[in-house]
Amino acid sequence: MLTFYHHPLSPISRRVWIALLEKSIPFEPVVVNLNGDQLKPDFLALNPFHHVPVVVDGNFRVLESLAILDYLEAKYPTPALVPQTPEAIAQMRMVQLVTTNELMPRLPALVLAEASPEADEVTAQQIATGLNFLTEQLGDRAYFGGDGLSLADITAGTAIPLLHRLGTSFAEYPAIATWYERIGARPAWQQTGLDEAAFSAWKRWITLMVKRRQRQLSR
């Protein structure tokens, strides 16, 4: 059986978790406590970069969430989470990469902004640019992949809910708002979502990571 090393507070781990559930792939979950367990020799043997998620399928190990999603799609192709045309595949990948490279890095700034009365206009503009791009890619479709769920929805669908919970309004993005409600109603999202206590713990975790990095840079 496939083994899934993850932490339930990690939105990047959640991508893989949702894909496993949507595909009904049997797996054994192993929670890696990110208070030092990720630095232990046993886990470093799986991932020398000491982060989650990691999937072990028999004798094969995969790390990095997007690579894991591609592997799961190729190894367990039903139900399909990747569209078939070159254009649709490119759109899916663009949504994944814009989410990963442009929106996810904005989350720490939003967490820190909750404790500060001053809004970060640069962060707000970066988020608006990302949401405008995703709106364009979504169009009037139910999902980024068309009528059915795709890896684009899974990737965006683990970041955009956090943007919303951290105060980003979707009033100017009605298509995104409707899509957000649609994916949030799916059992895989409900099963893996953060309750208020877990969401607060995630924000504390992000704050500690930011402060740790700032101390490292100041040395």
Side-chain angles (χ1 to χ4, degrees):
M1 180 184 293
L2 181 151
T3 305
F4 172 45
Y5 295 85
H6 76 114
H7 193 285
L9 296 185
S10 166
I12 298 176
S13 282
R14 192 183 180 205
R15 299 172 183 173
V16 175
W17 194 0
I18 287 174
L20 290 167
L21 296 173
E22 289 285 349
K23 285 182 167 290
S24 299
I25 300 171
F27 66 95
E28 178 186 357
V30 177
V31 173
V32 180
N33 292 313
L34 302 177
N35 57 1
D37 285 358
Q38 78 277 23
L39 300 175
K40 292 181 177 178
D42 287 350
F43 187 74
L44 289 175
L46 294 174
N47 188 346
F49 307 107
H50 51 78
H51 57 70
V52 291
V54 177
V55 157
V56 176
D57 195 3
N59 295 321
F60 188 64
R61 171 201 64 177
V62 196
L63 49 108
E64 298 295 341
S65 65
L66 297 186
I68 295 172
L69 293 178
D70 287 344
Y71 173 76
L72 295 178
E73 180 66 18
K75 181 72 180 289
Y76 307 92
T78 304
L81 294 177
V82 171
Q84 297 302 308
T85 69
E87 294 81 3
I89 291 171
Q91 281 187 305
M92 179 196 75
R93 189 66 78 201
M94 285 193 295
V95 170
Q96 288 184 290
L97 293 175
V98 166
T99 299
T100 299
N101 298 328
E102 306 298 337
L103 291 178
M104 291 290 291
R106 311 284 85 84
L107 292 175
L110 290 181
V111 171
L112 296 179
E114 285 193 335
S116 171
E118 297 181 1
D120 185 338
E121 292 299 329
V122 173
T123 297
Q125 184 56 55
Q126 290 168 330
I127 291 171
T129 300
L131 291 177
N132 281 324
F133 179 82
L134 295 185
T135 296
E136 175 189 318
Q137 299 305 307
L138 182 60
D140 60 358
R141 300 177 299 175
Y143 298 99
F144 284 104
D147 292 333
L149 192 77
S150 78
L151 297 182
D153 300 286
I154 289 175
T155 305
T158 51
I160 289 179
L162 291 173
L163 291 177
H164 185 65
R165 293 181 77 170
L166 290 169
T168 298
S169 172
F170 296 154
E172 296 182 16
Y173 313 99
I176 295 292
T178 301
W179 167 86
Y180 167 77
E181 295 295 333
R182 182 175 292 112
I183 62 165
R186 296 181 72 94
W189 265 264
Q190 294 183 359
Q191 182 174 336
T192 62
L194 300 180
D195 60 21
E196 285 304 315
F199 181 58
S200 295
W202 174 77
K203 289 191 292 184
R204 291 193 298 272
W205 177 38
I206 291 296
T207 301
L208 288 172
M209 286 197 303
V210 171
K211 291 181 177 178
R212 188 179 300 119
R213 289 172 186 168
Q214 289 173 339
R215 287 197 298 268
Q216 291 171 343
L217 292 173
S218 66
R219 290 175 180 172

